Structure formats: C-alpha cells, structure tokens
Amino acid sequence: MDLADIGVTGLATMGRNLARNLARHGYAVAVHNRTYGRTQQLVKEFGGEGTFVPSEDLAAFVASLKRPRRAIIMVKAGAGTDAVIDQLADLMEPGDMIVDGGNAHFDDTRRREAALRERGIHFVGTGISGGEEGALNGPSIMPGGSKESWEALGPILQDIAAKVEGVPCSVHVGPDGAGHFVKMVHNGIEYSDMQLIAESYDLLRQALGATPAELAEVFREWNRGDLDSYLIEITAEVLDQVDAETGKPFVDIVVDQAEQKGTGRWTVQSALDLGVPVTGIAEATFARALSGHPEQRAAAAALRGPKLSGVGGRELIEDVRQALYASKIVAYAQGFDQMAAASKEYGWDLDLGAMATIWRGGCIIRAKFLDRIRAAYDADPSLPTLLADPTFAAVLDTAQEAWRRVVTTAVQIGVPTPGFSSALAYYDGLRRDRLPAALVQGLRDYFGAHTYHRVDKEGAFHTDWSGDRAEHSA
Ligand code: NBP
C-alpha cells in the first residue's frame, strides 16, 4: 500500500474540507474520524477528488503515513483535542509532527508543545481561518511550532492556502503558541469589524429611517473604496435578504442576541494580562454581552431616551463611512499592538507585516486595507503604533471631523455606538501631550502611598498627605 503524505483526523465540516483541499492539490491524504461513518462518507462522496487512505482506528491511520509523519487534528477544541494528542503521540516517533488545526487557546498550545517536545515530537498549533469554504478552497493558515516542522509542513500549507497576487496566505508565525495567538487576535479583530459595521447600519437606519435594502446599497458602494473587504461585501448580502415566510427584511426576523463566549473573550483576557488597551475588541465583546441579557433589556425598555430624532441628512452616510474607516484603523492598531506585546512577552519575534500579508486572503477579515498595514510595517518594522504611520495619520486627520459628528449625532439621538466612541476616545487619548493619569497617580499616592515619578527628577516620591504634606524620596 502506498503511504499517505499527510493525514487528517476529525472529519466534521472543517476536517473534511481540509482533507479534500489537500487531496485536490495532489497529496495522498490519510483520513480518520472517531466515528468511522464520517470517514466512509468522505471517501464515498469525494473519493474521486484525489487519493484518500481511510483508516478505522488511529493505529492504522498513523501506520498509513510516510515518515516523518504529519498528522492534522481537526476535532472540537478542548478535552477531545488532548485525548487525540495523547493517543497519537503514543503511536508516533521522534521527528513526527502533530498539527492542531482547531481553535485551541494559545496557553493550551504552549503546554502541549512543551510536553511533546520532551518526547521529540513536533507539536504545531495552527490557526486556520476562513470557515468551511476557506478550508476547502484556500484558508489563511497560521502555524506555530518549531522551524524544523515548518520546513516539512510549510510547502504543503502554502500550497493549500489562499493566494493573493500569487502570495500564499501562510507563513511560519513563530514558536509554540504563536500561531494560535495570532488566530485569536484575528478573531478579536473580526469581532471589532462586525461591531463597527453593525453600528454603522444601526445609526443610519435610526437617523435616516433608511430600509435594510437601501443600506445594502450603501455598503455595496462602500465596498468599492477604502473599506473593500469580505465583511462589508457580505453585509450588503445579509441586509438585502428578505425572509421568505414573512416578507420582512431578514435582519428583522433574527433574534438580536449575539454570542461572546469564544475567541473575542480570550483576546480581551489576554490583552488585560499584557496591559494592551484593545478597546475596540473589548467594546465589541461587551456589546454582544449586553445584547445577550434579555431580562435586563426588558426591564430597561421603559427608560426614556432623547426627544431628538431624525437628525442628519444624506451627508451622514459619508460621515459614517469615514468614522467606520477611522475606527477600524484604531481597532487594527490595537490588535497589532497586542501581537507586538505578546511577541515580546513570549519571545516569538513576530513579523507584524507578515501577519497583515497572510490575512489578505482566505480569512474572515480579508481586506484591501491589510496591504496598507503591510506597507506601514515595511516602511518601519518597529513602528510604535499604526496610528503614527504617515498614511494612516493622514486618513485619521481627514476623517476626524466626520468621526466627531457621527459620535455627536449618535449621542444626541440615543443610538449606542461604543465602537465608534471608544475608538475616538483612544485616538484622543493617545495623541495627548498630558493625560489625567497624573491625577490618578496623585490619588493612589494619597490613599495607598503608591508613590509617583516627577516630570523633572529621577526617582520615586511620596507626599506625606496625612502629615505636613512634604515630599520625600521613596
Ligand atoms: P467540531 O468542532 O464540530 O468537532 C467535531 C469533530 O470532533 C468530529 O470529527 C468529532 O468526532 C470530533 N471529536 C469530538 Br466532538 N470529541 C472527540 C474526541 N474525544 N475524540 C476524537 N474526536 C472527537 O468540528 P468542526 O466545526 O469541523 O471544527 C473542527 C475544529 O476546527 C474545531 O476546533 C473548530 O473550533 C475549528 N475551526 C472551525 C471553524 C469553522 O468555521 N467551523 C473555523 C476555524 C476553526 P465524531 O464524528 O466521532 O463525533
């Protein structure tokens, strides 16, 4: 029997499509699933697309792989992943590679990588974005793990990844959990992108009384300019959809409560640990959390809002477009800051420009805009914040008047725009010469003797607040 080039275990939507993608690219693919029926189904339905080597149990699956073995796990993240890793590792030899393509937390990946490294097995935590369509036709692939494993896996992953202008949307992200970390931040940014789109739609609908179908046209128009992206494109599709049963706009028959249990939450948790203000992602996560409390919303429904309504004419549309673009720049700047901070903390040496490059295609946040981020890091790889890049600084400068009008209008008519507002507050905070953090430091020294630094002298100081209020070196 010919041995397979690579294997996939876990053949639900993602694993099946990834296996088909590999087979379509000419690789002989070993396939396995806990429940054998799925394996049989795959071979029955898609066997003609390439060479599949099915196995009923993991031992046979491992035995069907060429050495060094390359096995991709695509099972539900969590305990199942640990179980499959343990079983695979027991069947493998030093030099073999286990790739986890599921949505694992990067801390779990770091733990698993360290444990398998002891046994000489390469563990490659890999972020895969693009959903089932991407898995089949070309996802964005973000592998972590060792350099040696990238040498053996990289050519295959780049082969099956999305391509933009011939450049594959996959690079070696960095060691141990770097791949899953970058995928997590990608998803956090995805939260933020969707929140800003939702705020744009909501504000224009409330302020102008526009219909979802009219707004679909607005998004379609926006997709021809700076905002050109997959999420803007599909927003037009969703807003245009009419419910067959009721004849109402689809968006009006969907329950308005969003989930926030996944990677958005992880991104914010990690950002808090790293001390990076990812306000765009945090507001998006909290906006979902607010939507998910129907009992509180019902209790608050009688609270009065402002009397003003219907302010703003058609010019609001262009203002919102600019506010959306400016807020998006802020959200991405924050996400890239988080990757830079993690790179330093964990010693990953992330190439931020390369991250922008591999997000240009295949993944959910794919957008023209990522070319501009890559150009910013090409021009200055140690850029302290994307907001300081001359191109982005100019965009923000042009957009800021419109951005302020949008936030003002939203406040006046009582439409919540936490994404727009917090992004603007971040912009205003970051550009300030002096921040009121000085007063916060004073208060902390007053009640807790936490000390402070002076602008004009080295060292730490404490004022004797309860005594003579003289200053002492701390
Ligand atoms: P699911 O997340 O729905 O997982 C189902 C698969 O996990 C089945 O193959 C199932 O086997 C297997 N499995 C489970 Br559940 N527990 C297991 C265990 N203890 N031992 C062995 N196998 C077990 O599949 P999916 O939606 O294809 O996603 C796969 C991974 O890819 C997940 O980690 C997901 O987060 C990630 N991901 C998904 C997307 C997406 O758009 N769906 C995108 C990117 C990444 P069975 O058939 O025997 O029940």
Side-chain angles (χ1 to χ4, degrees), residues 325 329 332-333 336 351-354 356-357 360 368-393 395:
Y325 191 32
I329 292 171
Y332 278 67
F336 276 77
D351 176 348
L352 298 179
T357 305
R360 293 186 309 162
K368 276 260 161 58
F369 167 72
L370 287 153
D371 273 331
R372 270 159 247 148
I373 296 185
R374 189 193 47 179
Y377 284 115
D378 279 351
D380 180 359
S382 59
L383 194 63
T385 164
L386 276 173
L387 304 196
D389 168 73
T391 308
F392 287 128
V395 171

Side-chain angles (χ1 to χ4, degrees), residues 11-14 33-35 38 75-77 80 84 102-103 128 131:
L11 301 173
T13 321
M14 289 294 287
N33 191 69
R34 180 179 60 177
T35 313
R38 275 201 211 268
V75 306
K76 201 179 181 73
V84 177
N103 266 340
I128 300 181

Side-chain angles (χ1 to χ4, degrees), residues 9-16 32-36 38 73-81 83-84 87 100-104 127-133 183 187 364:
T9 177
L11 301 173
T13 321
M14 289 294 287
R16 184 190 56 203
H32 168 267
N33 191 69
R34 180 179 60 177
T35 313
Y36 189 49
R38 275 201 211 268
I73 303 176
M74 290 304 291
V75 306
K76 201 179 181 73
T81 307
V84 177
Q87 294 166 51
D100 175 16
N103 266 340
I128 300 181
S129 177
E132 56 179 301
E133 218 271 331
K183 169 70 186 337
N187 284 24
I364 306 300

Side-chain angles (χ1 to χ4, degrees), residues 21 184 189 317 325 345 359 406-407 418 442:
N21 187 350
M184 176 189 78
I189 290 176
I317 295 175
Y325 191 32
E345 173 74 18
W359 289 350
V406 165
V407 172

Side-chain angles (χ1 to χ4, degrees), residues 142-155:
M142 299 154 246
S146 64
K147 281 207 176 96
E148 299 92 296
S149 59
W150 170 250
E151 273 161 29
L153 285 161

Side-chain angles (χ1 to χ4, degrees), residues 401-463:
E401 298 305 331
W403 200 1
R404 293 180 197 285
R405 280 195 296 274
V406 165
V407 172
T408 306
T409 303
V411 170
Q412 281 179 328
I413 66 171
V415 173
T417 53
F420 288 157
S421 311
S422 74
L424 183 55
Y426 179 87
Y427 172 77
D428 282 336
L430 208 59
R431 65 182 188 79
R432 276 291 287 278
D433 175 28
R434 293 273 301 155
L435 285 167
L439 175 58
V440 172
Q441 290 302 79
L443 297 173
R444 293 177 69 240
D445 189 58
Y446 190 107
F447 66 71
H450 290 294
T451 75
Y452 53 87
H453 297 283
R454 294 182 57 103
V455 295
D456 51 0
K457 278 190 244 178
E458 287 293 310
F461 299 89
H462 168 62
T463 290

